[in-house]
Amino acid sequence: MASLAGSRKPDGAAAPGDGVCRPTRHNARMPDHPATELPPSFLWGAATAAYQIEGAATLHGKGRSIWDEFTRRPGAVANGDTGDVACDHVRRMRDDVELMAGLGLNAYRFSVAWSRVLPRGIGQVNVRGLDVYDRLVDLLLERDIRPFLTLYHWDLPQALQERGGWGSADAPKWFAEYAAAVATRLGDRVRDWTTLNEPQVFAFAGHLAGNHAPGLTDWGLALRVAHHALLAHRVGADALRAIVRAPRVGIALDLHDCHSLRSLPDDEGAAVRMDGSQNRWFLDPLFGRGYPQDLVAAYGSLLPRGAVDAMHRYHGRLDFLGVNYYNPWRVESSSELPLRAALVEPVVPERTAMGWEVRPTGLRHVLERLAREYGATALYVTENGAAYDDEADPSGFVDDEDRRRYLDRHLAEAARAVRSGVPLEGYFAWSLLDNFEWAEGYDKRFGLVRVDFPTQTRTVKASGAWYRDLIAAWRRRIVAADPLGM
Ligand code: FCB
């Protein structure tokens, strides 16, 4: 049982779930925060992913995933960390849902581990694996927290990797089978489904840069993986729609505002190409426009045969688009093919512990662009947050003013976007808990709630208390505007 420490905290970071909203030193500013004016239907959430928090790596016949494999590779992950235990969330699920309720969340984004449901990726369904999510969904619904389920957050069953993984032409079919298995069990209670998390990252970090599982380094393979991911999104969405009554199906993309380093035509061209490979390569097909021509020309023979034609006939049929936004990108021209563009890290006023530039207006620009250029009709910020070098006091409390400010300013920009007409329907902070940050292991902490890994103690940070108070202020405003809730 997690000890939910925190009620003695100096600025009122109350114990989660204790129902008390103590004043914090930020409360005075709260009524003026533009986010308190977000509409009554707005969703306030936090996000996590299975491999990053669950632990229980072999419980009830769970199969291995590519991350179980990759973390064993010497040097692949900082300190040799693995997700074997992570936040031990599977065992502490009830406490963690109480933690969410204590923060006042009305939505929670989590992912399902494919190899818990289908240990070999396809074939025999593992009922006890599905039980884990059945229970989670029930606990969330009991607390009026809307489940936002992501089917794939990077942990492909290792058995499928051994058959070619996302590079195999069968991958979309495998994904549809998995989607159907989850939908059959949870479709009576889960309405909001995200097929894939950040296909750009798992295609390119996993198959070109090689710093994520499965650790491969091949341009042609990365483009094939990205192509199969788009196809999988669509057949997975079709499978969900065939089983779930009136589902809302989306995908989560990591979008970066791309800027040229200098106002030179070469750098500006490079920024356009970087935007093409990072953003438009996924957005254009999902919105029914096929692959962007300029990038098709740049990639040339690296593209899988028939891919361009296949995307001409493709549409993502999104009920919503999830936006993961962390930072803008600065780009300069380079001689390296095929993109002839490189990311650079000039000196900027602020960076997080990940080295990522802090630029809250970038979030608004991304959201406004989606509404303006793509006609997006429903958006969620499915991830936004920051790692900082937290220092806990002896009681475990973290006074993370840097993270609080990061969230404060990004939420203000999100609220401004809504004011300017952007159809943003919710915001999910990354992350509920400190967790396993992929190649960075446990070194980088993103949580609203601190996790002391040796004891698994959870303690709400100052940023978490601030988020809780902001949500409470938004609620008060809604009640004041419409006391009868009509
Ligand atoms: C995103 C991932 C998420 C987390 C954050 C920091 O790219 O989707 O799992 O690692 O970055």
Side-chain angles (χ1 to χ4, degrees), residues 48-49 52 109 153-154 197-198 201 212 254 324 326 354 356 383 430 435-438 446:
T48 63
Q52 295 180 275
R109 175 174 181 245
H153 201 127
W154 304 355
N197 181 69
E198 301 187 353
V201 176
H212 277 191
D254 55 312
N324 294 357
Y326 291 92
M354 296 292 280
W356 297 347
E383 287 182 28
W430 184 270
N435 59 43
F436 174 82
E437 178 47 38
W438 308 114
F446 279 87

Side-chain angles (χ1 to χ4, degrees), residues 136-427:
L136 174 62
V137 166
D138 282 348
L139 288 168
L140 292 168
L141 292 175
E142 273 167 32
R143 292 307 233 139
D144 285 329
I145 300 171
R146 187 158 143 189
F148 263 66
L149 188 156
T150 300
L151 283 167
Y152 186 73
H153 201 127
W154 304 355
D155 45 354
L156 189 76
Q158 177 61 21
L160 294 182
Q161 187 59 40
E162 283 157 19
R163 294 173 170 222
W166 283 104
S168 162
D170 288 333
K173 195 176 71 191
W174 299 334
F175 182 70
E177 180 178 333
Y178 161 56
V182 181
T184 302
R185 181 73 183 270
L186 302 178
D188 57 337
R189 283 153 293 157
V190 175
R191 182 161 179 238
D192 302 285
W193 298 77
T194 299
T195 52
L196 305 173
N197 181 69
E198 301 187 353
Q200 204 279 348
V201 176
F202 71 77
F204 291 90
H207 303 83
L208 174 65
N211 58 334
H212 277 191
L216 303 171
T217 51
D218 176 340
W219 258 108
L221 175 62
L223 287 166
R224 203 158 72 236
V225 167
H227 185 64
H228 293 159
L230 284 165
L231 297 175
H233 159 76
R234 183 52 202 275
V235 293
D238 289 349
L240 294 172
R241 290 192 176 104
I243 294 167
V244 184
R245 203 158 51 86
R248 298 174 75 233
V249 186
I251 189 168
L253 301 182
D254 55 312
L255 300 175
H256 296 266
D257 213 13
C258 292
H259 302 271
S260 60
L261 182 64
R262 297 156 294 205
S263 345
L264 298 174
D266 278 359
D267 283 359
E268 280 160 9
V272 171
R273 288 190 296 281
M274 189 61 84
D275 174 61
S277 97
Q278 175 68 28
N279 302 322
R280 291 182 284 121
W281 193 253
F282 296 88
L283 286 169
D284 282 14
L286 286 165
F287 283 89
R289 300 177 182 181
Y291 280 136
Q293 277 312 318
D294 56 340
L295 268 285
V296 167
Y299 290 146
S301 61
L302 289 171
L303 285 171
R305 194 164 319 135
V308 176
D309 284 347
M311 279 301 128
H312 275 312
R313 299 184 300 273
Y314 177 93
H315 198 292
R317 290 186 62 206
L318 300 176
D319 296 311
F320 66 85
L321 175 66
V323 176
N324 294 357
Y325 175 84
Y326 291 92
N327 56 329
W329 275 354
R330 309 276 181 165
V331 187
E332 72 178 0
S333 70
S334 123
S335 55
E336 211 178 309
L337 292 170
L339 277 184
R340 292 181 296 113
L343 293 179
V344 276
E345 298 198 341
V347 176
V348 291
E350 270 182 82
R351 289 188 184 277
T352 69
M354 296 292 280
W356 297 347
E357 179 178 349
V358 178
R359 191 149 152 147
T361 50
L363 173 59
R364 178 160 53 81
H365 294 155
V366 165
L367 295 171
E368 287 173 349
R369 175 189 190 186
L370 293 170
R372 191 180 58 241
E373 280 181 35
Y374 290 93
T377 52
L379 297 169
Y380 292 92
V381 173
T382 34
E383 287 182 28
N384 175 239
Y388 287 104
D389 295 326
D390 290 347
E391 278 179 36
D393 73 12
S395 76
F397 177 68
V398 179
D399 192 4
D400 54 343
E401 176 60 11
D402 35 19
R403 185 176 293 103
R404 189 204 68 74
R405 265 174 56 72
Y406 181 100
L407 296 172
D408 183 334
R409 289 179 292 160
H410 284 79
L411 267 160
E413 292 299 334
R416 276 179 202 122
V418 171
R419 218 183 269 166
S420 75
V422 169
L424 180 69
E425 299 183 3
Y427 174 94

Side-chain angles (χ1 to χ4, degrees), residues 398 400 403-404 407 447-449 460-468:
V398 179
D400 54 343
R403 185 176 293 103
R404 189 204 68 74
L407 296 172
L448 297 171
V449 176
V460 176
K461 300 180 192 175
S463 59
W466 175 84
Y467 192 51
R468 177 201 64 202

